Amino acid sequence: MAAHTTYDRPVAPARAPAGARRRRRRPTAWIFAGPAAALFALFFAYPLGASLLQSFTTEDAGATHWVGLDQYRRMIHDPAFLESLFNTGIILAVQVPVMIGLALVLAVLLNQSWLRFRGTWRAVYFLPAVTTLVAYAVVFQVLLKTDGGLVNQILGAIGIGQVDWLNSPTWARVSLIASLTWRWTGYNAVILLAGLQSIGKEQYEAAAIDGATTLSTYTRVILPQLRPVVLFCVITSTIGTLQLFDENYVLTRGGPDDATLTPVVYLYKVGFQQLDFGYAAAIAWVVVALIAAISALQYVAFGRERRR
């Protein structure tokens, strides 16, 4: 009779329930995420909530009073705030399309294989975006100075009279639009160039085999694929325009006659020069609402275009 040997199988340890495992991981997760969450709450969430509450208050003789929506109603009848919105609308309607168009042309040129020193050219065109604000302001003040400015000297050489670039309301707007275009075209061109380089060469070759010209290749094949990148540039440029402060404050202080005043420059004057913080907070929230609304409209319009 054969002897039977019994082997005991190793018993796998019982696994803890999924809920218990998640509870054990929570303290570790909070050790790493806690400092970031605390900093976010302290320096972002709290000031955001406090500014929203402040926009419904006003200060009188050192005491804070709840005024509800009065600060927002005040904006509707404030000519300086309406002028700042008008100026921003002009910049959005003129400067942003011109800048994106120039950036697109520049990106196509910088993407050409026949262009020598492409890396150098890309760095040169991106350089204005990283130029310090002080250097930027000094350069344009020297260029656009009425008496002895380089631009007026060139105009005088070809028989055109002097232009009061920074002291005339109309020409001050033109100067601001030109300076913004100079500073940010290269930045957008580099982003568009990255989008162009993500499109495979086979797309160009297929269009060439089908007999498409260079213009039709870009307008009917390349640009539709580049649309998400263009949308990104348009939305970020729109947000930058609605937040415009540095360039126009350094060049013209929002003048002359409020011709280059923007909502953020007006917010600065109301808050830090007139010390009307409640009204300044209300202006800030209107700017936030405008940015959200315009960005959403652009995104919806882009999505509708893609579905066609």
Side-chain angles (χ1 to χ4, degrees):
M1 185 175 180
H4 295 281
T5 305
T6 303
Y7 297 98
D8 295 332
R9 291 185 176 178
V11 179
R15 299 188 64 186
R21 292 199 301 273
R22 282 197 296 270
R23 281 195 295 273
R24 280 201 300 269
R25 283 198 294 263
R26 268 180 201 162
T28 307
W30 275 110
I31 288 172
F32 289 101
L39 289 174
F40 175 83
L42 182 62
F43 293 108
F44 186 77
Y46 171 71
L48 204 63
S51 70
L52 181 60
L53 286 176
Q54 195 172 32
S55 70
F56 298 111
T57 64
T58 186
E59 290 191 7
D60 186 16
T64 302
H65 304 280
W66 182 268
V67 294
L69 295 174
D70 283 359
Q71 302 285 23
Y72 294 92
R73 294 192 192 98
R74 178 181 167 187
M75 267 181 269
I76 300 173
H77 306 288
D78 186 347
F81 178 71
L82 297 178
E83 180 73 15
S84 71
L85 289 182
F86 176 73
N87 295 332
T88 304
I90 289 178
I91 296 171
L92 278 176
V94 178
Q95 190 265 333
V96 173
V98 169
M99 179 183 65
I100 298 297
L102 288 174
L104 195 55
V105 172
L106 193 58
V108 171
L109 288 175
L110 292 175
N111 196 38
Q112 300 303 312
S113 58
W114 49 261
L115 183 68
R116 300 185 64 185
F117 309 114
R118 278 184 293 175
T120 304
W121 287 114
R122 290 168 188 172
V124 166
Y125 281 107
F126 189 75
L127 202 57
V130 295
T131 303
T132 63
L133 187 61
V134 174
Y136 161 83
V138 169
V139 167
F140 270 87
Q141 283 172 351
V142 170
L143 287 175
L144 301 175
K145 191 177 177 183
T146 303
D147 297 324
L150 183 60
V151 175
N152 274 340
Q153 288 184 23
I154 295 172
L155 292 178
I158 58 177
I160 300 176
Q162 288 187 344
V163 177
D164 201 3
W165 294 104
L166 298 178
N167 299 312
S168 161
T170 301
W171 289 114
R173 289 193 182 110
V174 173
S175 303
L176 179 61
I177 288 172
S179 64
L180 289 171
T181 304
W182 173 83
R183 192 173 190 199
W184 296 112
T185 296
Y187 173 84
N188 287 286
V190 170
I191 295 173
L192 292 168
L193 177 62
L196 280 174
Q197 291 181 342
S198 68
I199 299 174
K201 290 183 179 178
E202 62 273 13
Q203 303 281 341
Y204 298 90
E205 293 168 355
I209 291 172
D210 290 341
T213 63
T214 303
L215 181 62
S216 60
T217 299
Y218 276 100
T219 54
R220 297 186 179 183
V221 179
I222 305 303
L223 272 181
Q225 297 183 63
L226 201 62
R227 192 174 292 139
V229 185
V230 174
L231 176 70
F232 172 80
C233 292
V234 170
I235 289 180
T236 53
S237 300
T238 301
I239 293 172
T241 302
L242 289 168
Q243 294 177 333
L244 190 61
F245 176 81
D246 297 342
E247 289 86 349
N248 51 337
Y249 188 78
V250 171
L251 278 178
T252 59
R253 295 289 192 276
D257 297 333
D258 293 341
T260 59
L261 187 70
T262 55
V264 179
V265 172
Y266 186 52
L267 181 158
Y268 171 79
K269 290 184 175 181
V270 168
F272 295 98
Q273 294 179 357
Q274 302 172 15
L275 302 181
D276 191 351
F277 293 112
Y279 191 40
I283 294 172
W285 276 97
V286 168
V287 171
V288 170
L290 283 174
I291 289 173
I294 293 176
S295 300
L297 281 175
Q298 290 172 337
Y299 185 80
V300 169
F302 170 76
R304 185 177 300 164
E305 187 68 23
R306 287 191 67 184
R307 288 192 290 271
R308 287 178 181 174

